[in-house]
Amino acid sequence: MKKYISIALSLLTLGAFILALWQNVVNIPSYDDYAATLIFLKNHYYHSTDAIGKIRALFYPHGEHYIVTSRLSAAIAYTFTGSVNFTALVWYQNLYLLGVFVLILLIMREQGVSLFTVIIPVSLCLFSLSFWQVSLYYWGGVQYYTVFFFAILSLYCLNKADENSGFYFPLAILFVAMAILSFGNGILVLPLGFFLLAAQNKKKYLRIWTGFGVLAVLLFLSGHHSGFAYKPAFNPEWMARLLFTFLGSFLYVSPQSADWKYINIVVCMVAGMGVMYLWFRLLFAGYAFRNPLPYCLLSLPILTGILIALTRFDSKAAGGIAPRYQFFSACIPVFLLLIFYENIKKSKKPVILPVIGLVAAVWGMSFRNNLREIDRFNEEIVQNFRQWQKNNTTPLVYYKPDPSYSDALAWALSTGTYTFPAAYQKLGEGPRVAKGR
């Protein structure tokens, strides 16, 4: 009976997540959609008749990242349909989230974890609205979901690679390349893979991985363009505040009042310090060498947090609770559950029930509060788009009034590459009233 209850509750969580997507996804470009998708299609794909030129355009750096999977997915959609539908692309990108979920369950089962014990908290962590900017908008999710999907898949294949199953190692090389080309933190798989292979004493594969890693880093840096033209002097205190807040942001529920936000951020900081302590404790206690795959999986979001803190330290603690980053931190409790499952199972107290209760409470509060944030954000996108239609000098991205965004959108509308849904044309109708699919 417990198995059926676990499956039913997990399906309910997934169903609520899908319903939230269905009610709130909008077929309107926003933020990075202009530079990463529309400008790419206009300048580097539509106007290029040379196949080599089209392929080369996929690999142009986007700020400090490579976003090949994002561009490739949009290019394929455009090639086959002659247009870009952001709603369809959002549903497509969430398939990678489902892939991450399945991969984690697969790894847990192979590590001896009872899936019916952990499937509820894993579902609550991954099918959450805490990272709604990643789930509902193409400019976020297709990069964030794909990089972790390919990163986890690469580490999984490395762990399986041995002399008797040689095809796993070439797959690991392929998937780490896809991770690097999906988003900036994909490069972290290279040192993590090195650690995993060294801990498992796979010397033959370690030499090849090291050579590939050096080559990949050189190629990565050769085409790298910094996205940070101006930064204040480095401040370690700001970095620490961002880092610890990020590491504990899986407990952030987006409170409405300023006082509760402050309290919630402090809770996240304290939790983040605990995560950092456990990470070092697992290393120095020898767990990382006895079972390197779970440790490398946990290290992936932690090292991502360190990268974010180093590059965006000036956003301080607020940067640690940005919804676009919370998908990465949402994986931290999942990997901690994998690592400490044996301790939970051996405990004489029913530890898993309080864990599920805490995760469910965070999920519920976050779900409710973030629905309000999504409503406000979608209404802002619709109203801004309408204002642009009346006056095309209206900045499409408020913090970056780039005229090339307006040119790309005008091109997309005139060529039929993108069609603004007629339902949104009516004043007073918000996204939840008229979906415009």
Side-chain angles (χ1 to χ4, degrees):
M1 177 60 89
K2 291 181 180 179
K3 295 181 180 180
Y4 294 115
I5 293 174
S6 297
I7 294 173
L9 290 176
S10 297
L11 289 175
L12 281 174
T13 302
L14 176 59
F17 180 76
I18 291 174
L19 181 61
L21 261 62
W22 179 263
Q23 291 182 331
N24 292 283
V25 64
V26 293
N27 184 20
I28 302 177
S30 59
Y31 291 88
D32 279 8
D33 286 333
Y34 295 106
T37 302
L38 292 183
I39 289 179
F40 159 71
L41 290 175
K42 174 179 178 287
N43 294 343
H44 304 300
Y45 196 81
Y46 180 80
H47 289 303
S48 176
T49 57
D50 179 17
I52 300 298
K54 292 179 185 289
I55 295 172
R56 188 184 299 115
L58 295 171
F59 294 89
Y60 291 152
H62 178 72
E64 70 274 20
H65 309 295
Y66 288 95
I67 55 170
V68 174
T69 52
S70 171
R71 289 171 174 160
L72 180 62
S73 300
I76 291 173
Y78 174 79
T79 299
F80 283 96
T81 66
S83 63
V84 174
N85 184 304
F86 290 97
T87 296
L89 289 173
V90 166
W91 284 107
Y92 154 77
Q93 79 188 20
N94 276 279
L95 293 177
Y96 288 99
L97 173 62
L98 187 62
V100 170
F101 175 71
V102 172
L103 264 177
I104 288 174
L105 291 183
L106 174 63
I107 292 170
M108 284 184 159
R109 188 185 67 179
E110 293 190 0
Q111 292 283 321
V113 175
S114 172
L115 297 187
F116 298 110
T117 304
V118 300
I119 193 171
I120 296 175
V122 172
S123 300
L124 290 169
C125 287
L126 295 184
F127 301 124
S128 166
L129 288 188
S130 294
F131 40 91
W132 55 271
Q133 289 180 341
V134 182
S135 302
L136 286 163
Y137 308 99
Y138 188 65
W139 50 266
V142 75
Q143 300 164 22
Y144 288 49
Y145 288 158
T146 52
V147 68
F148 258 37
F149 175 75
F150 290 119
I152 294 171
L153 202 51
S154 180
L155 292 171
Y156 172 76
C157 289
L158 277 184
N159 187 64
K160 299 279 286 185
D162 57 39
E163 298 295 336
N164 298 322
S165 54
F167 67 92
Y168 277 112
F169 185 74
L171 285 176
I173 294 286
L174 171 64
F175 293 137
V176 70
M178 293 301 297
I180 293 170
L181 294 173
S182 293
F183 201 59
N185 59 335
I187 201 78
L188 296 172
V189 185
L190 293 173
L192 290 175
F194 182 93
F195 177 85
L196 188 149
L197 292 172
Q200 295 178 337
N201 200 30
K202 297 177 179 177
K203 295 180 181 179
K204 174 185 174 182
Y205 292 143
L206 183 60
R207 288 192 292 269
I208 301 173
W209 184 267
T210 302
F212 173 80
V214 171
L215 179 61
V217 169
L218 290 175
L219 290 174
F220 181 86
L221 294 176
S222 67
H224 183 75
H225 298 292
S226 175
F228 308 103
Y230 167 77
K231 278 286 181 184
F234 179 73
N235 188 312
E237 180 194 348
W238 293 357
M239 175 190 167
R241 287 161 62 182
L242 192 158
L243 175 61
F244 292 130
T245 303
F246 168 85
L247 294 180
S249 63
F250 52 85
L251 294 176
Y252 190 70
V253 297
S254 300
Q256 299 300 302
S257 74
D259 290 340
W260 280 110
K261 283 185 178 181
Y262 177 79
I263 293 171
N264 202 169
I265 287 174
V266 172
V267 170
C268 291
M269 276 190 184
V270 174
M273 292 177 188
V275 169
M276 183 65 75
Y277 167 78
L278 289 173
W279 188 50
F280 282 114
R281 178 71 182 271
L282 290 168
L283 176 64
F284 294 119
Y287 175 87
F289 299 94
R290 293 194 303 271
N291 201 353
L293 177 59
Y295 186 78
C296 287
L297 292 175
L298 175 63
S299 300
L300 189 58
I302 291 176
L303 292 177
T304 295
I306 294 173
L307 273 183
I308 293 170
L310 283 170
T311 55
R312 292 178 167 71
F313 63 90
D314 54 320
S315 60
K316 308 173 189 176
I321 55 169
R324 66 186 182 277
Y325 296 144
Q326 285 185 253
F327 165 65
F328 298 139
S329 64
C331 293
I332 291 175
V334 173
F335 297 141
L336 286 174
L337 184 60
L338 167 62
I339 290 170
F340 290 103
Y341 173 77
E342 286 299 321
N343 301 80
I344 293 173
K345 187 172 68 171
K346 293 176 182 177
S347 175
K348 295 180 180 179
K349 297 179 180 179
V351 179
I352 194 65
L353 292 179
V355 169
I356 293 175
L358 174 61
V359 175
V362 171
W363 182 90
M365 288 187 286
S366 174
F367 208 91
R368 179 195 63 189
N369 293 336
N370 280 307
L371 279 176
R372 298 170 184 169
E373 296 296 323
I374 293 167
D375 276 342
R376 286 195 287 264
F377 190 79
N378 279 347
E379 191 62 35
E380 177 186 310
I381 291 174
V382 173
Q383 294 299 335
N384 191 58
F385 203 104
R386 290 171 179 159
Q387 291 174 12
W388 178 86
Q389 287 181 309
K390 295 176 182 178
N391 180 6
N392 61 13
T393 63
T394 301
L396 290 168
V397 179
Y398 73 90
Y399 60 83
K400 191 176 182 181
D402 192 333
S404 65
Y405 293 176
S406 181
D407 292 343
L409 181 57
W411 165 82
L413 290 168
S414 66
T415 59
T417 300
Y418 167 71
T419 303
F420 184 58
Y424 297 146
Q425 301 282 2
K426 301 177 182 178
L427 293 174
E429 286 193 355
R432 291 170 70 85
V433 178
K435 297 307 300 169
R437 290 185 181 83

